Amino acid sequence: MPKASHLECSLCGVRYNAAAAANLCACGGPLLVRFDLDILRHRWRRRDVPNGTASMWRYAPVLPPSDANIVTLGEGWTPLLRTKKLGARIGADNLWVKDEGMNPTASFKARGLSCAVSMCVELGIKKVAIPSAGNAASAMAAYAAAAGIEAHIFMPRDVPQANYLECMAYGAHVTLVDGLISDCGKMVAERGPAEGWFDVSTLKEPYRIEGKKTMGYEVAEQMGWELPDAIFYPTGGGVGMIGMWKAFDEMEKLGWIGARRPKMIAVQAEGCQPVVRAFNENEPRSRFFEDAHTVAAGLRVPKPLGDFLVLNAVRESGGTAIAVSDDDLMSAGVQLATDEGIFAAPEGAACVTAAKRLLESGFLKPADRIVLYNTGSGLKYPEAYSTRFPRTAGS
Ligand SMILES: Cc1ncc(COP(=O)(O)O)c(C=O)c1O
Ligand SMILES: [Zn+2]
């Protein structure tokens, strides 16, 4: 018996069986996992949650795999840290960092891949393939190793060295591609069916989003079931943002929170900002962003499949979308490390610059409770940070 009641297309609403392996809807829309929350709300109260495990699996009743199939390396339940100096520096009295760098494989991608690989075990899938900007590949390789599943990974040739080394060490089959994640995705789509690979591309299966939505459950629980006023999220494919938005909806249906939502703020890099452009042009979907480039490798996604879901969340929440330069986000990463002792991935650091700008413009007020998602550890980006701290002979 699957825990989910059904899968539902986010575009056309058609329903699918939750007990069968699923990729996209026939219409091309991403599928979302649905649970019978009306029944669940009488069985699972928010006061029960703190008795659960200190990982994202404390929310197992709203995660699709059954307990016996969970593949875990201790993902989730990451610290929510209140800043001491950085808030004052950028004009925020109440500034928090959700530090996803503490996850296995040092990024929030662990949440999504723990859930997706667990579902592969549940559904009897033995071979998976993933196109990745880097961190999703590392997480996939780690969880596939833990589960004894064969992982086929396609990454841009210039992927950060840490991601390449991790994938090799975890025993994955790695293909380095001369191109972007979109080119990697095409290769998986072309070769996958003949090879018998289950395609775990962003939003092309419904399970990664379920793992990532736990970031939304956690921030609510860690703030005493009172959502913040604004959430800054570094948006590549946008799965974390879509997942958190789904989590808030589920929590309201469970009777855990009210209707108030944080302003959802999508942060992108100037060199790859399809969502920001669509937001500014009032379009429901993004256009392919040509010549995409940024040091924040996870934000180099020229055309996110779930762009319309990200844009919906941003608009419905009264949030905004904002792009920052590579130079600014790297400086912000160093500032965050110096002020708070948090060494952030460039993607996470971009949120600091974005928050500073929106406080300066008056879009956010100093008293607002603001949460920045640092989606990964700076330790995974020696190439990027060494441009700030070059070592000369003798030093
Ligand atoms: C560190 C980091 N932050 C953010 C992102 C973007 O994630 P999402 O697809 O949820 O937008 C990625 C994706 O690779 C990443 O590795
Ligand atoms: Zn559909």
Side-chain angles (χ1 to χ4, degrees), residues 35 42 71 84 151 162 166 223 225 237 246 294 305 307 333 350 360 379 381:
F35 297 87
H42 300 294
V71 181
K84 295 180 191 73
E166 282 179 279
M223 295 196 120
W225 305 109
K246 182 173 188 282
T294 167
L305 185 63
D307 48 8
E360 278 165 5
L379 291 174
Y381 296 81

Side-chain angles (χ1 to χ4, degrees), residues 260-342:
R260 199 182 63 80
R261 295 287 181 272
K263 291 189 171 84
M264 302 299 282
I265 296 158
V267 182
Q268 298 205 295
E270 278 180 2
C272 182
Q273 44 170 317
V275 171
V276 175
R277 181 169 64 184
F279 179 78
N280 290 336
E281 292 174 351
N282 241 330
E283 294 292 340
R285 298 209 70 148
S286 67
R287 277 179 290 125
F288 190 91
F289 203 89
E290 297 294 340
D291 187 29
H293 60 278
T294 167
V295 66
L299 304 187
R300 207 169 46 153
V301 181
K303 170 73 179 96
L305 185 63
D307 48 8
F308 63 105
L309 296 169
V310 176
L311 287 158
N312 276 351
V314 168
R315 289 185 176 124
E316 278 178 36
S317 71
T320 188
I322 177 166
V324 304
S325 73
D326 277 7
D327 193 36
D328 284 351
L329 68 87
M330 289 308 298
S331 300
V334 174
Q335 193 75 67
L336 175 59
T338 309
D339 279 352
E340 305 295 337
I342 301 169

Side-chain angles (χ1 to χ4, degrees), residues 108-109 133 135 212 233-240 298-299 345 347 375-376 381:
F108 74 130
K109 298 281 179 181
N135 285 322
K212 284 197 183 179
Y233 181 75
T235 305
V239 184
L299 304 187
E347 294 86 344
T375 41
Y381 296 81

